[in-house]
């Protein structure tokens, strides 16, 4: 069994010890990691799929490495790397610094049993309950820790269930006293079996545009050269496992957690401005010469159209509005505006923590990544119900925690513009994916990439509006440093000083070398735009006697397939019939989430609530779940893989985001509205049949 692992310069790591100190009187356990020596590992196997490379090591060889270190009986050898200067929570010099740690600590007798090897992900809080520094770093003072550990199950189980978990890292040099590196209190831990860990490869495209040709009103085709940097991977764990938080160990509960940062192949990223020679750090990259780039330019959008987009979503697809609030940036923007109305300096609230966010510096770029907090998503979901007749009532109910505000017309308009900006952003992402799918069908090219540029103008009615949009605020800050920000390697957002209309660009790149001539020949076909429109319409809609939403049509077919088995189960078992009604009522009284989110809600809330209320075994509810909730929850609420989501492929993924981030930051119905406004959809989107 092999394990991928980041090493300094691909062949170096630290060897140390891991011990657990239990204080039963205070109900606190401390993980103590002592870094003993630096080691060079020469027998590493390269990984080279499609231009990627990293290092991996055979677990059998790890024990040989561990035997170089003599330990006490209460200590475990650990192979580790760390980066005390990974990046920041946001791209500001006064923001909290991020410390990254990766390590492997295994017992020899566990290597032949994969079920005894666990992936452990987690993080620390940067501030304690009393405002004290919960995480302290030797080089920065206040910091935040993220970690990934591969541990034997016995080591994990040695943490008492009722204890809070602290961690301390020390570094030792020969004949010297130990040096403090990091100390964190009350860390959060998520752990599941090794096989349930997933790796999501991430890459960043630098566009070296050469020239433009063949331009229409909206579309143009450009010849460009690309540099594709393979940064590393995001790691997630999903399945039955442990969640340790606030002194509670919840064993064998359905969990999901993804690191909000990229684990670099070389542990550190190259930085032009760095003084530690990090610019010499090698990262794998590909050159794509004479690539074709289809550019879609939209110049007719302004703040009035943004408001119209929000109003249409509220009137026709309110679940799309709910999905927007699963974003930290939009929630921070709302909190920031509401705080300004209260003359308060506190611009954060409960749902500012809906996502984790990390920022890394890569050459002249700041790259920002996110990870959804599913527990917070569940809390937010439970606050959204169908009792609100107006969007502003919902906003105040959820985000005005003091319950002290009432809004006038202009203030409601500003809130709609804030929300609408993010709806526009995620709608453009949906259009980008539709273009890639359509281009694959028309050209046969299977590998594409994307960059979306948004240049937003000031609002003439409210010049301070841009100050409330956190993504614009961040971009303005780093522009002064002559750096650019990219969100999830996909969005670049800037503000413009003049003009009323936005400048919006969707750039879709072929990742196949020398593909420009092929694309140009097809593009110059006079039917190209018509074929593009037809392909997009075919993806979204089904033409019969009426126009059908294709995704809803697929769901109707699914329900027909489920009906026979579902009826058999609920007719034989009255308890399951009651459970079926409970699920139906719950879904129908809330805005519908995506199926990905609902799986978590079902496993971590409904199963427990229904089991307690109806005295039904949890295992029965898990077993028959595939016949219950899919009958009531749409396949596609605001996007699915049949329409605007795209499956990733190793090293050649269309959308660089991990699957959950793609789902949250891509909107089908916002895309549909924008395309209709541009004349690229030929159906009446207000009257699409759902039958």
């Amino acid at each position: 069994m092999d394990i991928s692992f980041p090493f300094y310069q691909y062949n170096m790591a630290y060897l140390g010890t891991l011990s657990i100190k239990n204080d039963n009187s205070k109900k606190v356990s401390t993980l103590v990691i002592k870094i003993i020596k630096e080691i060079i590992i020469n027998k590493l196997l390269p990984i080279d799929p499609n231009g990627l490379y990293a290092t991996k090591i055979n677990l059998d060889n790890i024990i040989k490495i561990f035997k170089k270190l003599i330990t006490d009986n209460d200590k475990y050898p650990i192979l580790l790397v760390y980066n005390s200067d990974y990046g920041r929570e946001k791209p500001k010099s006064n923001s909290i610094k991020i410390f990254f740690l990766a390590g492997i600590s295994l017992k020899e007798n566990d290597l032949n049993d994969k079920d005894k090897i666990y992936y452990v992900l987690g993080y620390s809080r940067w501030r304690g309950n009393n405002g004290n520094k919960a995480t302290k770093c030797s080089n920065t003072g206040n910091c935040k820790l993220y970690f990934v550990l591969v541990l034997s199950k016995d080591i994990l189980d040695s943490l008492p269930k009722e204890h809070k978990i602290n961690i301390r890292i020390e570094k030792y040099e020969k004949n010297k006293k130990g040096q403090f590196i990091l100390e964190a209190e009350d860390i959060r831990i998520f752990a599941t079996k090794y096989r349930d860990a997933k790796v999501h490869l991430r890459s960043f495209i630098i566009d070296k545009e050469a020239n433009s040709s063949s331009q229409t009103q909206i579309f143009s085709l450009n010849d460009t050269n690309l540099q594709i940097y393979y940064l590393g991977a995001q790691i997630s764990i999903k399945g039955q496992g442990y969640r340790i938080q606030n002194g509670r160990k919840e064993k064998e509960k359905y969990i999901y957690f993804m690191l909000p940062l990229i684990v670099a192949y070389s542990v550190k990223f190259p930085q032009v401005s760095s003084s530690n020679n990090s610019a010499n750090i090698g990262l794998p990259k590909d050159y794509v010469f004479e690539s074709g780039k289809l550019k879609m330019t939209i110049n007719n959008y302004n703040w009035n159209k943004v408001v119209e987009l929000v109003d249409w979503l509220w009137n026709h697809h309110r679940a799309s509005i709910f999905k927007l609030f699963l974003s930290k940036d939009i929630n921070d923007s709302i909190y920031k505006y509401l705080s300004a109305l209260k003359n308060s300096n506190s611009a954060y609230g409960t749902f500012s923590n809906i996502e984790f966010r990390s920022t890394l510096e890569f050459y002249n770029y700041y790259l920002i990544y996110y990870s959804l907090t599913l527990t917070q998503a569940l809390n937010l979901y439970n606050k959204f119900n169908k009792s609100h007749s107006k969007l502003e009532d919902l906003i105040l109910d959820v985000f005005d925690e003091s319950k002290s505000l009432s809004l006038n017309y202009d203030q409601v308009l500003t809130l709609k513009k804030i929300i609408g900006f993010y709806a526009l952003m995620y709608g453009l992402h949906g259009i980008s994916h539709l273009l890639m799918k359509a281009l694959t069908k028309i050209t046969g090219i299977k590998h594409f990439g994307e960059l979306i540029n948004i240049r937003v103008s000031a609002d003439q009615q409210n010049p301070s509006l841009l100050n409330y949009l956190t993504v614009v605020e961040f971009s303005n800050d780093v522009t002064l440093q002559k750096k650019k920000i990219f969100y999830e390697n996909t969005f670049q957002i800037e503000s413009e000083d003049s003009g009323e209309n936005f400048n919006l660009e969707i750039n879709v790149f072929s990742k196949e070398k020398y593909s420009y001539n092929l694309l140009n020949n097809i593009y110059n076909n006079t039917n190209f735009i018509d074929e593009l429109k037809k392909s997009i319409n075919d993806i979204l809609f089904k033409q019969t006697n009426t126009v059908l939403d294709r995704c809803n049509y697929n769901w109707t077919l699914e329900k027909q397939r489920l009906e026979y088995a579902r009826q058999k189960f609920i007719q034989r078992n009255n308890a399951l019939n009651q459970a079926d009604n409970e699920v139906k009522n719950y879904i129908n009284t809330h805005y519908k989430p995506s199926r990905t989110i609902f799986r978590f809600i079902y496993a971590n809330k409904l199963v427990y609530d229904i089991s307690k209320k109806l005295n039904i075994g949890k295992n029965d509810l898990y077993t028959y779940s595939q016949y219950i909730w899919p009958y009531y929850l749409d396949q596609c609420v605001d996007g699915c893989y049949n329409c605007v989501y795209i499956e990733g492929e190793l090293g050649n993924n269309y959308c660089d985001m991990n699957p959950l981030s793609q789902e949250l930051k891509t909107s089908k119905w916002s895309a549909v509205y924008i395309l209709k406004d541009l004349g690229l959809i030929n159906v009446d989107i207000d009257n699409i049949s759902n039958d």
Side-chain angles (χ1 to χ4, degrees):
M1 179 179 177
D2 297 329
I3 178 172
S4 299
F5 193 74
F7 290 89
Y8 299 110
Q9 301 296 343
Y10 305 101
N11 68 348
M12 189 183 77
Y14 287 109
L15 195 58
T17 62
L18 167 67
S19 60
I20 298 174
K21 306 295 184 184
N22 293 322
D23 187 334
N24 294 323
S25 62
K26 295 181 179 179
K27 293 186 176 181
V28 172
S29 295
T30 302
L31 298 174
V32 179
I33 296 175
K34 294 184 178 181
I35 300 171
I36 306 297
K37 64 171 70 173
E38 184 180 285
I39 61 171
I40 302 295
I41 305 174
N42 295 318
K43 295 182 179 180
L44 292 174
L45 301 175
I47 302 174
D48 189 19
N50 300 312
L52 295 171
Y53 68 87
T55 49
K56 67 180 179 178
I57 188 168
N58 188 281
L59 290 183
D60 292 328
N61 293 331
I62 288 181
I63 297 301
K64 297 177 182 178
I65 296 171
F66 285 167
K67 286 180 178 179
K68 296 178 181 179
L69 187 70
I70 300 174
T71 65
D72 300 328
N73 292 330
D74 62 343
K75 295 179 181 178
Y76 309 97
I78 184 170
L79 184 72
L80 75 149
V81 293
Y82 69 90
N83 185 353
S84 60
D85 194 21
Y86 175 91
R88 296 183 181 273
E89 193 270 336
K90 53 187 177 182
K92 289 191 171 185
S93 58
N94 61 348
S95 178
I96 300 302
K97 276 203 168 187
I98 292 174
F99 185 111
F100 171 70
L101 168 72
I104 306 173
S105 185
L106 299 170
K107 292 184 175 181
E108 185 172 2
N109 55 4
D110 290 340
L111 297 183
N112 295 322
D113 188 349
K114 294 181 181 179
D115 286 342
K116 290 186 177 181
I117 300 175
Y118 271 63
Y119 236 105
V120 181
L121 307 183
Y123 62 94
S124 71
R125 297 174 302 126
W126 68 270
R127 188 178 293 280
N129 294 328
N130 298 320
N132 299 321
K133 295 178 180 179
T135 308
K136 303 172 186 177
C137 291
S138 59
N139 61 336
T140 60
N142 212 358
C143 64
K144 186 177 181 70
L145 167 70
Y146 288 102
F147 57 87
V148 51
L149 302 172
V150 179
L151 299 179
S152 292
K153 186 176 185 293
D154 288 347
I155 299 175
L156 189 63
D157 285 341
S158 64
L159 296 170
K161 292 181 180 180
E162 69 279 6
H163 283 201
K164 291 185 177 181
I165 311 299
N166 297 342
I167 189 169
R168 181 178 175 86
I169 304 173
E170 302 170 352
K171 187 175 182 180
Y172 286 78
E173 296 181 12
K174 191 173 183 179
N175 300 324
K176 291 185 179 180
K177 186 178 180 181
Q179 175 190 356
F180 159 74
I181 301 294
L182 176 140
E183 189 171 55
E185 62 182 35
D186 195 13
I187 62 175
R188 288 15 179 178
I189 289 178
F190 301 85
T192 192
K193 292 176 182 177
Y194 183 85
R195 64 169 179 262
D196 293 325
K198 303 294 182 184
V199 174
H200 309 276
L201 300 174
R202 304 301 301 269
S203 61
F204 179 63
I205 297 175
I206 297 178
D207 175 20
K208 306 286 188 181
E209 183 175 322
N211 54 68
S212 301
S213 64
S214 307
Q215 187 168 343
T216 68
Q217 185 177 2
I218 298 176
F219 295 102
S220 63
L221 184 69
N222 303 324
D223 179 6
T224 188
N225 299 314
L226 306 177
Q227 289 181 9
I228 305 176
Y229 284 88
Y230 299 101
L231 305 175
Q234 274 186 286
I235 301 173
S236 68
I237 53 176
K238 179 173 68 173
Q240 298 297 112
Y242 299 87
R243 177 172 178 263
I244 304 175
Q245 182 171 332
N246 295 327
R248 301 190 309 272
K249 181 188 286 188
E250 299 169 344
K251 185 178 180 181
E252 296 305 318
K253 186 173 183 179
Y254 183 83
I255 60 169
Y256 177 90
F257 180 73
M258 175 175 287
L259 281 180
L261 47 77
I262 307 301
V263 179
Y265 296 129
S266 58
V267 183
K268 296 182 178 181
F269 293 94
Q271 300 175 8
V272 171
S273 60
S274 177
S275 60
N276 60 2
N277 295 321
S278 68
N280 297 322
I281 294 171
L283 281 180
K285 63 182 177 182
D286 279 342
Y287 293 95
V288 181
F289 299 107
E290 296 184 28
S291 164
K293 176 177 71 173
L294 184 69
K295 179 187 290 186
M296 180 178 181
T297 304
I298 306 172
N299 291 320
N300 67 339
Y301 249 78
N302 54 36
W303 288 110
N304 291 333
K305 287 200 172 186
V306 165
V307 173
E308 292 170 2
L309 168 60
V310 171
D311 286 339
W312 185 80
L313 290 174
W314 179 255
N315 291 329
H316 295 277
H317 298 281
R318 293 188 184 181
S320 301
I321 296 285
F322 161 73
K323 191 173 84 170
L324 289 172
F325 299 124
L326 297 176
S327 164
K328 176 177 176 59
D329 287 326
I330 187 172
N331 293 353
D332 282 352
S333 298
I334 292 172
Y335 282 126
K336 194 172 184 180
Y337 178 61
L338 296 182
S339 297
L341 296 181
K342 300 176 190 177
N343 296 315
S344 170
N345 293 324
S346 176
Y348 299 95
T350 300
F351 297 112
S352 289
N353 297 322
I354 197 77
E355 287 182 306
F356 297 100
R357 178 176 59 209
S358 71
T359 301
L360 65 89
E361 188 176 349
F362 176 71
Y363 290 123
N364 286 319
Y365 304 94
Y366 282 112
L367 308 181
I368 299 181
Y369 304 97
Y370 301 86
S371 171
L372 181 69
T373 309
L374 279 168
T375 302
Q376 280 286 60
L378 174 58
N379 294 336
L380 181 67
Y381 182 73
N382 286 329
K383 289 185 73 70
F384 278 69
N385 56 61
K386 295 185 177 180
S387 64
H388 304 98
S389 60
K390 297 180 179 179
L391 176 59
E392 55 266 34
D393 294 337
L394 183 148
I395 295 297
L396 291 180
D397 188 27
V398 174
F399 293 98
D400 179 21
E401 296 172 0
S402 66
K403 307 302 178 187
S404 61
L405 284 175
S406 60
L407 303 174
N408 60 36
Y409 175 82
D410 288 337
Q411 292 165 344
V412 171
L413 202 61
T414 298
L415 274 175
K416 287 184 178 180
K417 290 174 181 177
I418 291 172
I419 296 167
F421 175 81
Y422 292 95
L424 172 65
M425 181 174 166
Y426 300 156
L428 295 175
H429 196 199
I431 294 173
S432 178
H433 287 186
L434 288 168
L435 290 175
M436 287 191 277
K437 287 187 173 184
L439 284 171
T440 293
K441 181 178 180 180
I442 295 169
T443 68
I445 295 174
K446 296 182 179 180
H447 304 306
F448 287 95
E450 62 184 343
L451 288 176
I452 299 170
N453 303 106
I454 300 174
R455 287 181 286 278
V456 57
S457 60
D459 181 18
Q460 303 300 317
Q461 296 176 332
N462 184 358
S464 63
L465 173 61
L466 295 185
N467 296 333
Y468 305 120
L469 299 173
T470 57
V471 290
V472 177
E473 174 198 0
F474 292 162
S475 296
N476 288 342
D477 285 346
V478 302
T479 299
L480 299 176
Q481 305 173 35
K482 297 183 179 180
K483 292 182 181 292
K484 296 180 180 180
I485 286 184
F486 284 86
Y487 298 87
E488 290 284 4
N489 298 344
T490 302
F491 301 101
Q492 183 186 9
I493 301 168
E494 300 171 297
S495 62
E496 293 186 332
D497 296 330
S498 60
E500 294 186 3
N501 290 344
F502 302 170
N503 188 349
L504 311 174
E505 290 182 359
I506 300 172
N507 299 286
V508 173
F509 309 93
S510 166
K511 289 185 177 180
E512 296 187 11
K513 298 178 181 179
Y514 309 110
S515 55
Y516 172 73
N517 286 337
L518 169 64
L519 284 166
N520 192 44
N521 289 336
I522 296 173
Y523 182 86
N524 285 319
N525 182 332
T526 56
N527 296 323
F528 175 78
I529 302 302
D530 290 337
E531 287 187 44
L532 198 66
K533 289 170 62 175
K534 183 180 184 303
S535 294
I536 290 173
N537 278 268
D538 287 346
I539 292 169
L540 295 170
F541 308 112
K542 180 176 176 62
Q543 299 279 354
T544 58
N545 294 331
T546 58
V547 178
L548 304 176
D549 172 12
R550 186 173 292 276
C551 297
N552 198 77
Y553 174 77
N554 293 337
W555 182 40
T556 300
L557 297 180
E558 180 192 22
K559 288 191 290 184
Q560 292 173 358
R561 292 192 296 268
L562 288 173
E563 180 64 16
Y564 177 79
R566 175 177 161 275
Q567 287 296 333
K568 288 291 183 182
F569 285 128
I570 63 179
Q571 287 172 6
R572 292 176 184 174
N573 190 320
N574 183 56
L576 285 178
N577 186 27
Q578 290 177 291
D580 183 87
N581 286 326
E582 290 289 328
V583 172
K584 175 183 177 181
N585 292 336
Y586 186 84
I587 291 175
N588 289 341
T589 54
H590 292 76
Y591 296 121
K592 292 182 177 180
S594 69
R595 288 190 169 186
T596 302
I597 301 297
F598 190 80
R599 286 187 182 95
F600 182 82
I601 294 172
Y602 184 83
N604 289 278
K605 176 176 172 58
L606 286 182
V607 164
Y608 291 85
D609 292 349
I610 295 172
S611 176
K612 184 177 180 180
K613 181 177 180 179
L614 302 179
N615 195 27
I616 302 175
K618 296 185 184 70
N619 288 337
D620 288 340
L621 292 173
Y622 284 124
T623 300
Y624 300 114
S625 64
Q626 61 184 311
Y627 302 105
I628 298 176
W629 64 260
Y631 192 81
Y632 299 110
L633 184 61
D634 308 48
Q635 279 188 4
C636 178
V637 175
D638 188 37
C640 67
Y641 286 98
N642 288 320
C643 57
V644 295
Y645 301 160
I646 295 184
E647 295 278 4
E649 298 179 38
L650 183 63
N652 291 288
N653 43 327
Y654 290 86
C655 180
D656 185 72
M657 295 184 189
N658 66 69
L660 186 54
S661 290
Q662 178 191 175
E663 183 175 307
L664 298 179
K665 303 184 189 306
T666 311
S667 173
K668 168 185 176 177
W669 292 112
S670 293
V672 166
Y673 184 86
I674 298 167
L675 289 169
K676 178 63 176 178
D677 184 64
L678 294 171
L680 297 175
I681 281 181
N682 52 18
V683 304
D684 181 1
I685 62 174
D686 295 339
N687 296 289
I688 301 171
S689 174
N690 288 324
D691 298 326

